[in-house]
């Protein structure tokens, strides 16, 4: 009989819905940064919203906007308006939808990240002026006015949405880089991961280092200060994969991403966490099958970070927003139609040590990956 293991990772549950909003906000200031990005600082208006101006410099562009509340309070993205004032992203369209497009619209913590376009069908951005509308709320999800926020705006021209390069830094938690069992398996897993992504047109450039954090990793969301400090030292747009013992002391959690999509700015959750112990299995040694599981876990979790959701969620009532992943509605149908997909929500295993390969990605899933701002 097929045995189901726990999810590789799931996006957090939707938080309580906010109330109606208006279009009033206080002003702010924009500053061009040396790396070509720009920053914006301002405060929400009396209605608890702030309209962040975004100037797209060239046609066929992709943008990523990460907004934080320095006071640690809550916020989310509500709208992204194009040059004509049309809402390209409308939180009300997606909030209660059975289809998942972006985590940006949900109230999680003091960070919200919007990468646009998400899908090829959303269309690349034209030169012109856009607006990102964010909301600042309290713990009861009521709007709060006069709250300072800071935004980082990055953009690039998308020359070919079917290919690009992704830079990865694999960071071993304290002491693990010196463990040959772990480091040998991770490096072999990365080579396999490169093969999986190459089929989507994403070429990987990987470097290895260590990070000064306890191998007992916390949940990647909310993460920890050590992640932010590490990210602040990066000089390039890299996705950080932290290798630890366990995540949140959960023996069945293979890995976890800090966002869908994840941010390319320093924050407590700008990482993907991976548990080597869970991937290695009960004996703590890596068989070839365990290395495959590790490779697929890293590829799956970074897939979340690049903006992909599970094609179906466990429960079979929620799906991603992509037209070429089957909208299946039962365990048997989903395993039959989607069970080989890299982003399927759980491993399908015949025994504890023998699991089916899950490496396939649809054309539209590959499109989401290639449209992530860090895939250049």
């Amino acid at each position: 009989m097929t045995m189901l293991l726990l999810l590789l990772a799931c996006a957090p549950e939707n938080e309580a819905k906010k109330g109606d909003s208006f279009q009033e906000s206080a002003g702010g200031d924009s500053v061009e940064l040396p790396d070509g990005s720009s920053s914006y600082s301002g405060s929400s208006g009396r209605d608890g919203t702030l309209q962040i101006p975004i100037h797209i410099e060239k046609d066929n562009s992709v943008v990523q906007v990460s907004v934080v509340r320095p006071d640690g309070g809550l916020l989310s993205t509500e709208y992204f308006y194009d040059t004509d004032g049309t809402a390209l992203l409308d939180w009300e369209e997606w909030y209660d939808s059975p289809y998942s497009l972006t985590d940006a619209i949900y109230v999680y913590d003091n960070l919200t990240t919007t990468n646009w376009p998400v899908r090829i069908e959303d269309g690349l951005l034209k030169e012109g002026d856009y607006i990102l509308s964010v909301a600042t709320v309290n713990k009861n999800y009521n709007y709060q006015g006069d709250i300072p926020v800071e935004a980082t705006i990055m953009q690039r021209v998308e020359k070919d949405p079917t290919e690009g390069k992704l830079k990865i830094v694999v960071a071993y938690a304290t002491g693990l880089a010196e463990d040959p069992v772990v480091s040998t398996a991770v490096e072999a897993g990365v080579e396999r991961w490169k093969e999986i992504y190459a089929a989507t047109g994403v070429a990987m450039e990987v470097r290895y280092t260590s990070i000064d954090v306890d191998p007992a990793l916390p949940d990647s969301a909310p993460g920890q200060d050590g992640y932010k400090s590490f990210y602040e030292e990066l000089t390039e747009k890299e996705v950080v994969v932290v290798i630890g013992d366990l995540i949140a002391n959960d023996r069945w959690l293979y890995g976890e991403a800090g966002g869908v999509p994840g941010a390319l700015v320093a924050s407590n959750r700008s990482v993907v966490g991976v548990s080597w112990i869970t991937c290695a299995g009960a004996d703590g040694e890596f068989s070839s099958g365990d290395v495959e599981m590790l490779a697929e876990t890293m590829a799956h979790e970074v897939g979340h970070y690049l903006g992909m959701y599970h094609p179906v969620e466990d429960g079979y009532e929620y799906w991603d927003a992509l037209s070429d992943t089957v909208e299946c509605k039962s365990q048997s149908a989903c395993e039959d139609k989607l069970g080989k997909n890299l982003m399927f929500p759980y491993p399908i295993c015949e025994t504890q040590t023998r699991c089916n390969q899950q490496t396939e990605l649809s054309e539209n899933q590959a499109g989401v990956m290639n449209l992530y701002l860090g895939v250049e």
Side-chain angles (χ1 to χ4, degrees), residues 117-120 158 161-162 200 306 308 322 362-372:
V118 178
R119 306 166 297 182
I120 292 175
E158 177 57 82
T162 65
T200 71
L306 302 185
M308 287 191 292
L322 305 179
S362 73
E363 181 179 348
N364 287 345
Q365 286 177 310
V368 172
M369 296 172 66
N370 279 285
L371 290 173
Y372 182 73

Side-chain angles (χ1 to χ4, degrees), residues 240-307:
V240 179
V241 177
V242 177
I243 307 297
D245 291 344
L246 295 176
I247 301 171
N249 202 34
D250 187 341
R251 180 64 178 77
W252 297 104
L253 186 57
Y254 290 81
E256 192 174 51
V260 187
L264 287 170
V265 298
S267 78
N268 283 10
R269 57 181 173 96
S270 295
V271 306
V272 169
V274 173
S275 165
W276 77 266
I277 289 177
T278 301
C279 292
D283 62 3
E285 299 290 336
F286 281 94
S287 66
S288 59
D290 295 333
V291 171
E292 177 70 20
M293 178 63 74
L294 177 60
E296 292 179 17
T297 297
M298 291 187 289
H300 176 109
E301 297 307 331
V302 171
H304 282 313
Y305 208 82
L306 302 185

